[in-house]
Amino acid sequence: RICGVPQHRQAMEFVDILTRSAEESRGPVRRTCMAFVGGLTKAFKREECIKGLHMFFDEVYPDLCTEVLRLPNIVMTELMPTLKVVLEEGELSALKPSLFDAVGYHAP
């Protein structure tokens, strides 16, 4: 919030930070970064974070899987638990198409 990222840039910044977090090879650092990503849902407009998640899974994730071979596992074991804490059920359910297409995950 202090940085004052303009709303029209928040989704792209969210995608960039999430992508860089997923690319991190050191597990403890990556998990800390994923927690930071979760915290962005409080600093950015929530709708922009959700838009960023859709963008990540629809546009970035498929290519990133070729660079980060463990990405499906990272998403399921590190990102999803974080998202379940910071997003409401309806918001998580709204990600269903993108998540299912990306990793075969069915949000409850």
Side-chain angles (χ1 to χ4, degrees):
R1 274 181 259 203
I2 293 173
C3 291
V5 177
Q7 185 172 342
H8 72 276
R9 292 281 313 147
Q10 290 178 1
M12 284 303 303
E13 294 299 328
F14 189 90
V15 171
D16 185 50
I17 294 167
L18 177 54
T19 301
R20 290 172 188 263
S21 299
E23 290 173 326
E24 174 57 55
S25 62
R26 297 165 295 172
V29 174
R30 186 181 57 246
R31 286 185 287 279
T32 300
C33 291
M34 290 296 180
F36 179 77
V37 167
L40 288 175
T41 63
K42 305 295 184 211
F44 289 175
K45 295 280 187 187
R46 191 175 293 247
E47 312 85 52
E48 295 300 316
C49 295
I50 292 171
K51 186 188 307 182
L53 285 166
H54 280 288
M55 291 167 57
F56 175 78
F57 286 115
D58 295 340
E59 301 169 20
V60 175
Y61 182 90
D63 291 333
L64 192 58
C65 280
T66 62
E67 297 173 32
V68 182
L69 300 178
R70 293 189 56 243
L71 188 56
N73 187 45
I74 290 167
V75 166
M76 296 310 299
T77 61
E78 297 174 22
L79 179 60
M80 288 309 300
T82 300
L83 294 179
K84 286 180 180 179
V85 171
V86 298
L87 296 180
E88 295 176 13
E89 182 61 38
E91 294 167 326
L92 194 57
S93 294
L95 292 174
K96 273 186 182 180
S98 295
L99 277 173
F100 181 70
D101 290 345
V103 293
Y105 176 76
H106 289 280

